Amino acid sequence: MTSHEIDYTIYGEEMQYVEIELDPQEAVVAEAGSFMMMDNGIKMDTIFGDGSGQTEGVLGKLFSAGKRLLTGESLFMTVFMNAEQGKKKVSFASPYPGKIIPLDLTNFNEKFICQKDAFLCAAKGVSVGIEFSKKLGRGLFGGEGFIMQKLEGDGMAFMHAGGTVSKKELRAGEKLKVDTGCLVGFTQNINYDIEFIGGIKNTVFGGEGLFFATLTGPGTVYVQSLPFSRLAGRIIASVPRTGGKSKGEGSILGGIGDLLDGDNRF
């Protein structure tokens, strides 16, 4: 194996974290801000890129970091290595309510494609690269632009998704239509494209966007029930406007509505 072999346990229901057990000299790489806790004896180090090109000299490091820039991520990742004898544990937490998805990349022909913000952590040696869209429509309207992340290697990787996660196994030729924001990731054999919803009423009044993500098997697809963009949109919509007025100030009830729901302050 080129990737470090790690053991893990996932704890929690809605706000999960993954605890990774490291043997001596084993290491795991993680996105900045996902660290939760670790045993004494684990060495923490910041590196360019994902760590998979660290033996390739300066150019390998720069190329690894450059791939992350294209996906909108930081140039740096953090490595947590067990520098002592005996087993040590390090934990990483999900950034918002949802599920942590463990991926043994050897079960997916050593490659898995996911949305840009889905990656949480992985065994050192797993490559966190970029997957360019080869179709104009998918790049323009797919919700993730022309670039998605690809996880490559023979180790364990962990994704995070919002809400409840559904795993779909598609047979050859079987098609699944998904809201573009609800798509988490899929295996490399899946044919991913964009389909126009169609219909004037659906387009103008449907409130579900103009396009579906269509995924055609064979392969595995992960779908989330609560994309972070949807969660953030609801939070922003409920934030009071300038001057302390809520979004309901233009409603028919106006101030009466504030009195009824207890928002009015005297």
Side-chain angles (χ1 to χ4, degrees), residues 31 68 71 73 112-119 128-131 147-151:
E31 291 284 6
R68 291 178 51 75
T71 61
E73 303 291 346
F112 193 88
I113 301 167
C114 61
Q115 64 177 4
K116 289 183 289 186
D117 60 351
F119 173 72
V128 185
I130 57 176
E131 179 77 8
I147 301 173
M148 298 183 75
Q149 281 188 331
K150 63 179 177 181
L151 309 176

Side-chain angles (χ1 to χ4, degrees), residues 5-176:
E5 188 174 359
I6 58 176
D7 299 313
Y8 71 93
T9 305
I10 295 176
Y11 294 94
E13 293 299 331
E14 285 75 27
M15 291 296 292
Q16 294 186 327
Y17 72 93
V18 56
E19 180 184 79
I20 295 177
E21 184 178 81
L22 300 175
D23 292 330
Q25 303 306 308
E26 282 186 346
V28 59
V29 294
E31 291 284 6
S34 62
F35 169 71
M36 178 180 173
M37 60 182 174
M38 64 182 178
D39 291 341
N40 187 39
I42 290 181
K43 180 183 177 183
M44 179 178 169
D45 192 19
T46 301
I47 60 171
F48 271 118
D50 54 28
S52 60
Q54 298 301 296
T55 61
E56 299 174 10
V58 176
L59 289 179
K61 295 179 182 180
L62 289 175
F63 181 70
S64 177
K67 291 187 298 183
R68 291 178 51 75
L69 265 185
L70 289 174
T71 61
E73 303 291 346
S74 168
L75 279 172
F76 302 93
M77 294 187 76
T78 308
V79 176
F80 298 83
M81 185 184 73
N82 182 0
E84 296 188 358
Q85 299 299 316
K87 296 179 182 295
K88 301 291 183 180
K89 295 178 179 179
V90 57
S91 299
F92 303 94
S94 56
Y96 54 92
K99 301 294 182 182
I100 294 175
I101 306 169
L103 299 171
D104 185 347
L105 295 178
T106 58
N107 295 332
F108 301 111
N109 294 322
E110 300 188 0
K111 180 179 178 180
F112 193 88
I113 301 167
C114 61
Q115 64 177 4
K116 289 183 289 186
D117 60 351
F119 173 72
L120 184 68
C121 60
K124 188 176 182 183
V126 170
S127 172
V128 185
I130 57 176
E131 179 77 8
F132 284 101
S133 173
K134 299 177 182 179
K135 297 184 178 181
L136 180 62
R138 169 179 159 184
L140 290 176
F141 309 113
E144 292 298 326
F146 289 95
I147 301 173
M148 298 183 75
Q149 281 188 331
K150 63 179 177 181
L151 309 176
E152 293 182 296
D154 54 6
M156 290 294 305
F158 300 86
M159 298 190 306
H160 177 263
T164 302
V165 176
S166 175
K167 179 181 179 182
K168 297 291 186 180
E169 298 287 351
L170 302 183
R171 301 183 298 273
E174 185 179 3
K175 181 180 289 188
L176 180 68

Side-chain angles (χ1 to χ4, degrees), residues 218-232:
T220 304
V221 178
Y222 285 91
V223 182
Q224 60 187 347
S225 66
L226 183 61
F228 179 72
S229 58
R230 187 178 296 177
L231 175 63

